[in-house]
Amino acid sequence: MKSIDFGVIPGHGRLARIHYLSEAGKRTLISGTPLEPHEILAPAKNASLFQRDYFHRIATIQFNIQFQQWLASHGYTLVAMELYFNRQSIDGQYRSATRTKSHGRFVEPDAVGVYRAHGLFHTFLFEQHNGKDAKRAIRQIEQHCLGLSDDSYAIRLTQNDTVHIVYVFQNPTCMSVVMKAMLASP
């Protein structure tokens, strides 16, 4: 395991160190478990640091942890979950595991997942919205709705699925503006 230390940011103090699986750790897991190399998530050798993305990524990870705790406390099962920073090789290029094309545009939710509760599958898209750009949030939500209407997000969609878009806002004022716009939108 290795760590990245982002130091101190005025107004935030010392940022949490980020721990990740090193190449040596990945090799150890491959040799010591029945896991296949593609099943072990570790940063690629050429992965860039995520200074600009730090707070967004931390909030996404916190959502993932809290969501899985909520599932466990209710006896529900996580079937699949992809996060935007998990990259996969597609035609020789590394792209987000959540990236899809919908109505001529690429969209990349922060997470796409499926869980099972009471015998039904529930599909969800997750977006962590940091900042105050309500227009960007509204465009994203509209694009996600279009993607749901044409099955662009079909990692596990059946006629019995319930589909949700989960949007978490850092800024309550931005959330209120977006909610009012969504209520007024056809």
Side-chain angles (χ1 to χ4, degrees):
M1 182 174 4
K2 289 190 173 183
S3 298
I4 303 172
D5 186 349
F6 289 95
V8 176
I9 293 182
H12 293 282
R14 175 159 285 289
L15 300 180
R17 294 173 65 108
I18 303 300
H19 305 287
Y20 63 95
L21 189 62
S22 65
E23 281 296 315
K26 185 174 180 176
R27 286 192 300 275
T28 301
L29 279 174
I30 291 169
S31 67
T33 67
L35 295 172
E36 297 292 324
H38 70 274
E39 294 177 291
I40 300 170
L41 298 177
K45 289 179 184 176
N46 60 351
S48 61
L49 295 177
F50 55 92
Q51 291 99 329
R52 292 184 341 202
D53 192 29
Y54 179 87
F55 294 106
H56 183 267
R57 189 171 296 207
I58 294 297
T60 301
I61 292 167
Q62 288 171 338
F63 166 80
N64 184 8
I65 292 167
Q66 292 173 354
F67 179 70
Q68 291 195 42
Q69 289 172 340
W70 177 81
L71 289 174
S73 72
H74 287 80
Y76 303 157
T77 307
L78 183 65
V79 177
M81 185 144 158
E82 296 287 353
L83 301 169
Y84 77 96
F85 49 78
N86 293 339
R87 303 279 178 195
Q88 56 191 15
S89 179
I90 301 170
D91 299 328
Q93 294 183 347
Y94 280 93
R95 294 199 174 116
S96 171
T98 65
R99 184 179 182 188
T100 190
K101 193 170 191 176
S102 171
H103 295 267
R105 293 181 55 200
F106 284 107
V107 290
E108 191 174 295
D110 296 327
V112 178
V114 177
Y115 67 96
R116 188 176 179 141
H118 308 293
L120 296 176
F121 291 98
H122 301 267
T123 302
F124 68 93
L125 309 175
F126 169 73
E127 286 288 356
Q128 173 65 43
H129 187 78
N130 292 356
K132 299 177 182 178
D133 189 350
K135 287 182 182 178
R136 182 174 66 86
I138 292 166
R139 284 191 309 270
Q140 275 184 326
I141 293 169
E142 288 171 346
Q143 194 65 35
H144 290 320
C145 289
L146 290 172
L148 289 171
S149 71
D150 71 4
D151 291 342
S152 295
Y153 297 118
I155 59 172
R156 170 75 179 92
L157 291 174
T158 69
Q159 292 178 349
N160 296 329
D161 278 359
T162 302
V163 182
H164 299 279
I165 300 173
V166 179
Y167 226 93
V168 176
F169 288 85
Q170 174 192 39
N171 184 294
T173 304
C174 182
M175 179 183 73
S176 294
V177 170
V178 171
M179 288 174 67
K180 285 178 186 170
M182 290 289 97
L183 288 171
S185 173

